[in-house]
Amino acid sequence: MKDLFRLDNRVAIVTGGLGQLGLQFSVSLCDYGARVAVIDILEYKKDNNNEFDNYLKNGSIKIYNADITKRAQIEEMLEDIKKDLGIPSILINNAGIDSPPGTDAEENGPFENYPEESLDKVIDVNLKGVFICSQVFGGEMAKNNYGSIINIASVYGIISPNQDIYEYKRKNGQLWYKPASYAVTKSAILNLTRYLATYWAKKNVRVNTLSPAGIFNNQDKEFLDEYRKRMPLGRMAREDEMNGAIIFLASDASSYMTGSNLILDGGWTAW
Ligand SMILES: NC(=O)c1ccc[n+]([C@@H]2O[C@H](COP(=O)([O-])OP(=O)(O)OC[C@H]3O[C@@H](n4cnc5c(N)ncnc54)[C@H](O)[C@@H]3O)[C@@H](O)[C@H]2O)c1
């Protein structure tokens, strides 16, 4: 039973692998035996995460600097990854941009004035980037008749953000709303998952979505209070609480699962 979850000799790609969840996913995949290609636009600053640094040192993790919205860069990365680590069979489409509570009010104003350029930017990363990585890396998996793709969406792809949470900001004079761009791109991911799951089913490439609710990341106290009182489990998720689901979806433990959406949301969508 334990072996069902092992990922020995598999090569995984984690986009946005230097972010809060990406670091967690990369380390967990290595813990279960995979070699991991991390793709990010950021430069890595050492000592973010000791376990990550250890895997970096022993060659289980390799970092590739690339922008997921640029097809040529992603195609080049595939060739590099194949040379350096081997043929990939796991893809975590994790890179994304969001508007957490601390961000600029201009980017988070009323829907009526939401800047078109911001919409383009969010669609580019959250949708087009996932599309391109799926074409390039998923296409390689389909060629080899084996793979698991995990698209990271959000509860805000299933239901609307609750704007009441941010009333405290508006009371303080900041005209702040969680923007529609994030929610609609995350919804699109759900149907891209279903499309690809059926498209590649005969090629033995499974495609699923993981939908988290909010992860604790030192958000301001007022936000935390508002969020917690609406959350059935009464707290935000710890950053390590998605790891079990990632290993399940990446491994043969989920071999009969494709086109699904695994919701890890503390009960947020249950009421
Ligand atoms: N943190 C949460 O509360 C939460 C909740 C639900 C869903 N999610 C989703 O989980 C995923 C990871 O979120 P996170 O909180 O770790 O975010 P994060 O901002 O900490 O990490 C995202 C990473 O993606 C990278 N990135 C951004 N644009 C890129 C591009 N064009 N090319 C390559 N890399 C790029 C960033 O440099 C960053 O390292 C996202 O898709 C997010 O929408 C997060």
Side-chain angles (χ1 to χ4, degrees):
M1 191 61 186
K2 241 166 99 187
D3 289 349
L4 268 182
F5 293 87
R6 292 294 311 175
L7 300 171
D8 302 291
N9 299 319
R10 298 202 201 164
V11 175
I13 298 172
V14 180
T15 70
L18 297 182
Q20 189 185 15
L21 290 179
L23 288 168
Q24 291 287 324
F25 297 162
S26 304
V27 168
S28 300
L29 290 161
C30 287
D31 286 345
Y32 278 76
R35 295 188 296 282
V36 176
V38 160
I39 294 184
D40 211 298
I41 37 169
L42 283 184
E43 287 291 328
Y44 182 61
K45 291 193 190 71
K46 282 209 163 50
D47 303 326
N48 272 348
N49 177 312
N50 288 336
E51 289 164 297
F52 188 91
D53 286 341
N54 289 340
Y55 282 129
L56 205 53
K57 265 186 229 138
N58 78 11
S60 300
I61 291 179
K62 231 176 139 16
I63 300 174
Y64 299 83
N65 210 234
D67 182 337
I68 59 164
T69 68
K70 306 276 191 291
R71 175 183 303 279
Q73 290 184 19
I74 294 306
E75 284 171 347
E76 199 185 317
M77 288 303 111
L78 174 62
E79 294 314 310
D80 290 349
I81 291 166
K82 283 188 340 194
K83 259 188 261 141
D84 297 341
L85 298 173
I87 293 174
S89 65
I90 298 165
L91 167 64
I92 320 282
N93 274 316
N94 165 72
I97 50 176
D98 187 11
S99 294
T103 43
D104 195 351
E106 228 170 73
E107 289 282 310
N108 301 278
F111 175 77
E112 291 85 340
N113 306 327
Y114 186 74
E116 255 184 65
E117 309 74 61
S118 306
L119 177 63
D120 288 342
K121 212 167 114 194
V122 177
I123 291 175
D124 249 20
V125 179
N126 289 9
L127 181 55
K128 199 172 116 186
V130 175
F131 204 93
I132 291 173
C133 288
S134 300
Q135 285 180 309
V136 175
F137 301 133
E140 176 72 18
M141 294 179 198
K143 230 165 58 186
N144 297 307
N145 288 299
Y146 188 66
S148 174
I149 300 178
I150 305 164
N151 295 323
I152 309 298
S154 163
V155 282
Y156 287 165
I158 306 167
I159 54 165
S160 169
N162 184 339
Q163 304 292 357
D164 290 353
I165 297 173
Y166 309 99
E167 192 55 40
Y168 75 96
K169 282 183 176 285
R170 296 190 287 272
K171 275 196 185 133
N172 294 338
Q174 251 191 317
L175 215 50
W176 209 100
Y177 294 86
K178 184 88 183 176
S181 55
Y182 183 75
V184 297
T185 52
K186 291 302 184 180
S187 286
I189 293 305
L190 290 172
N191 219 25
L192 180 61
T193 295
R194 288 185 282 258
Y195 181 97
L196 292 178
T198 53
Y199 182 75
W200 277 327
K202 303 289 189 304
K203 298 280 185 186
N204 202 24
V205 176
R206 298 183 297 105
V207 189
N208 292 290
T209 306
L210 173 66
S211 292
I215 316 292
F216 178 74
N217 195 9
N218 299 312
Q219 289 91 345
D220 60 66
K221 185 182 173 314
E222 288 136 300
F223 170 81
L224 288 173
D225 290 345
E226 292 301 324
Y227 198 89
R228 285 171 184 148
K229 70 184 179 205
R230 291 172 174 83
M231 172 60 85
L233 283 187
R235 61 177 177 86
M236 299 194 85
R238 291 191 316 269
E239 60 186 15
D240 64 355
E241 284 184 304
M242 306 296 130
N243 295 343
I246 287 289
I247 298 303
F248 168 66
L249 291 173
S251 69
D252 293 343
S254 60
S255 55
Y256 200 59
M257 186 168 174
T258 197
S260 283
N261 179 26
L262 191 51
I263 305 173
L264 268 81
D265 71 346
W268 190 260
T269 55
W271 60 15

